């Protein structure tokens, strides 16, 4: 009997554990578990020494090239190419659009999990695009077919920018800054409305409201505005950044809700919401300054919030402090303590001012780690520091920032002496010192995070002669250990603009050259060790050209 009772108690405990794991999303037969296991296997395969990334094809364009989830967009989103296949496969090719149909901005929209949607097309990926004539279109990501069409407003404002308030849930459409014609300004007429914001819930696409950002409410020094994670961020000319509760503003100042496609009578106008020529009503009228949540002064309005507990990063609002970052507590604005392991034996601590003291053309940069760990990434020309926030021992009210790990560029350990002596005894004085980001030294240019594989990726560049050589490295996100290095075969000019995407088994390099010339280089993973030389040596590869959809592709 005792054994039977013990067995039942153990079984009950196991059931409780299973239910608890289910509540937290862990279940052996769940599709998410299988997906995570597959991604873990893919990570191991990618990091194997025998796995290589081969450059499979290249294309060029006279207009910007964009990449979203396995799709490459060219010709102002009129052409879409799948990057998954070994050879370029054109998903759709539209006729060249007129200037009035030009797309200003775009966002990829993916269907939410576990929700019933009104249309079968809602369950497939789509592209939200904003045209120069204030049309908001939802296009099929695979065919380019127009699924929905919304007219935003007439000539009173020009909408130009798309962004997420809450990713894949709430979208914000922002206008360009309102400016009066020169004649009106000369006549002494002043413009009080700076920006318009239109806010939408997505899938199904529904209109939340439109509001003005007015100088009379927010101050005459307003220069820009943004919405992120339910916060209205207002930037001012003197470096001041002010935060407001955006949801509370919508609830407090909304005069009347409206639904897309319904008739309305608003300020003497009768029309249909989201249809031409009426567009959307400005139904959120801010009549008084909303309560201020937080404000800070920072150079160039640079301001970031993150970490746990909440902290923010600013640069003191003086040009001489460019490249100096203060990590402060959001609770009391106090600088965190910086704990340096080199001072551990002396028990010395200093404040959390981050300054790499770089002498470089491009300043170092800092941001909260996108893996939601609360860590901070600080990137300089030759050093990447991953910092973590933690409570001070014996003082839970105080937080310190400490180095989690560092990644160092592969540079020769040479001393850059200002004075050298030749073999004959002649003293030679250097006229200048090398910059920290001198092209002849390996320099970090891009740092990114691949969330599905939990890898930290870096792009480092060294100029050898007339050509720049770059390599993409994968590091362990927990410890910074180098796991994989992929050489990029094309020359890298540090004066050009570059973007590098690492998406599972795909590497994509987009380059912008002078005179609006754009190039796209596609690399794909191969596991055949016999092809090692083919993947790493441009001299041993054969090139072929073909034409698809009026576009020339170069195969390698």
């Amino acid at each position: 009997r005792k054994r039977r009772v013990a067995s039942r108690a153990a079984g009950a405990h196991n059931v409780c554990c299973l239910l608890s794991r289910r509540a937290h999303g862990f279940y052996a037969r769940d599709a998410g578990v299988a997906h995570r296991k597959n991604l873990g296997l893919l990570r191991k395969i990618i990091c194997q020494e025998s796995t290589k990334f081969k450059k499979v094809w290249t294309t060029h364009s006279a207009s910007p090239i964009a990449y979203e989830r396995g799709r490459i967009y060219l010709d102002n989103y009129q052409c879409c190419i799948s990057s998954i296949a070994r050879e370029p496969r054109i998903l759709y090719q539209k006729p060249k659009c007129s200037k009035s149909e030009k797309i200003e901005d775009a966002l990829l929209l993916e269907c939410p999990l576990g929700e019933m949607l009104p249309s079968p097309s809602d369950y497939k990926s789509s592209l939200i695009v904003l045209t120069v004539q204030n049309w908001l279109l939802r296009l099929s990501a695979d065919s380019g077919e127009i699924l929905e069409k919304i007219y935003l407003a007439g000539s009173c404002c020009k909408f130009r920018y798309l962004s997420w308030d809450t990713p894949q849930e709430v979208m914000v459409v922002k206008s360009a800054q309102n400016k009066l014609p020169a004649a009106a300004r000369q006549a002494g007429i002043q413009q009080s409305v700076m920006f318009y914001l239109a806010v939408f819930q997505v899938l199904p696409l529904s209109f939340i409201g439109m509001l003005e950002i007015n100088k009379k409410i927010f101050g005459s020094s307003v220069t820009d505005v943004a919405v992120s994670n339910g916060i209205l961020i207002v930037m001012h000319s003197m470096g001041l950044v002010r935060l407001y509760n955006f949801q509370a503003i919508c609830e407090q100042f909304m005069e009347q809700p409206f639904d897309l496609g319904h008739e309305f009578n608003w300020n003497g106008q009768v029309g249909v919401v989201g249809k031409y020529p009426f567009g959307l009503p400005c139904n959120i009228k801010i009549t008084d300054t909303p309560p201020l949540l937080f404000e800070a002064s920072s150079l160039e309005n640079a301001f970031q919030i993150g970490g746990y507990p909440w902290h923010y990063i600013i640069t003191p609002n003086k040009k001489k402090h460019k490249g100096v970052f203060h990590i402060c507590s959001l609770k009391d604005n106090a600088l965190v303590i910086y704990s340096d392991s080199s001072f551990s034996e002396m028990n010395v601590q200093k404040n959390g001012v981050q300054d790499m003291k770089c002498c470089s053309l491009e300043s170092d940069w800092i941001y909260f780690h996108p893996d939601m760990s609360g860590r901070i990434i600080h990137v300089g020309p030759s050093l990447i520091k991953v910092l973590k926030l933690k409570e001070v021992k014996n003082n839970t009210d105080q937080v310190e920032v400490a180095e989690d790990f560092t990644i160092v560029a592969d540079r020769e350990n040479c001393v850059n002496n200002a004075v050298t002596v030749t073999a004959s005894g002649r003293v030679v004085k250097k006229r200048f010192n090398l910059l920290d980001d001198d092209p002849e030294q390996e320099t970090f240019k891009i740092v990114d995070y691949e969330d599905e594989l939990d890898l930290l990726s870096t792009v480092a560049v060294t100029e050898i002669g007339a050509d720049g050589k770059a390599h993409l490295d994968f590091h362990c996100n927990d410890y910074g250990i180098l796991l994989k290095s992929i050489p990029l075969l094309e020359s890298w000019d540090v004066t050009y603009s570059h973007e590098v995407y690492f998406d599972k088994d795909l590497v994509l390099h987009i380059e912008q050259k002078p005179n609006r010339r754009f190039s796209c280089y596609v690399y794909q993973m191969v596991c055949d060790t016999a092809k090692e030389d083919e993947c790493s040596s441009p001299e041993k590869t054969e090139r072929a050209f073909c034409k698809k959809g009026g576009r020339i592709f170069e195969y390698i």
Side-chain angles (χ1 to χ4, degrees), residues 165 227 229-232 244-253:
D165 173 16
V227 178
N229 295 294
I231 301 295
L232 176 66
Y244 304 90
N245 188 326
F246 185 65
Q247 184 176 354
I249 290 173
C250 293
E251 293 174 355
Q252 180 181 351
F253 297 105

Side-chain angles (χ1 to χ4, degrees), residues 45 48-54 86 484 524-536:
I45 293 171
Q48 285 178 353
E49 187 177 353
S50 60
T51 302
K52 307 297 176 183
F53 278 78
K54 176 187 176 183
R86 180 60 60 92
K484 188 77 175 178
Q524 288 187 340
M525 183 180 75
V526 293
C527 298
D528 187 355
T529 55
K531 295 185 177 181
E532 180 176 345
D533 292 338
E534 181 183 355
C535 300
S536 58

Side-chain angles (χ1 to χ4, degrees), residues 5 58 69 165 285 333 380 423:
V5 170
T58 301
R69 294 284 184 178
D165 173 16
K285 294 284 187 181
N333 299 322

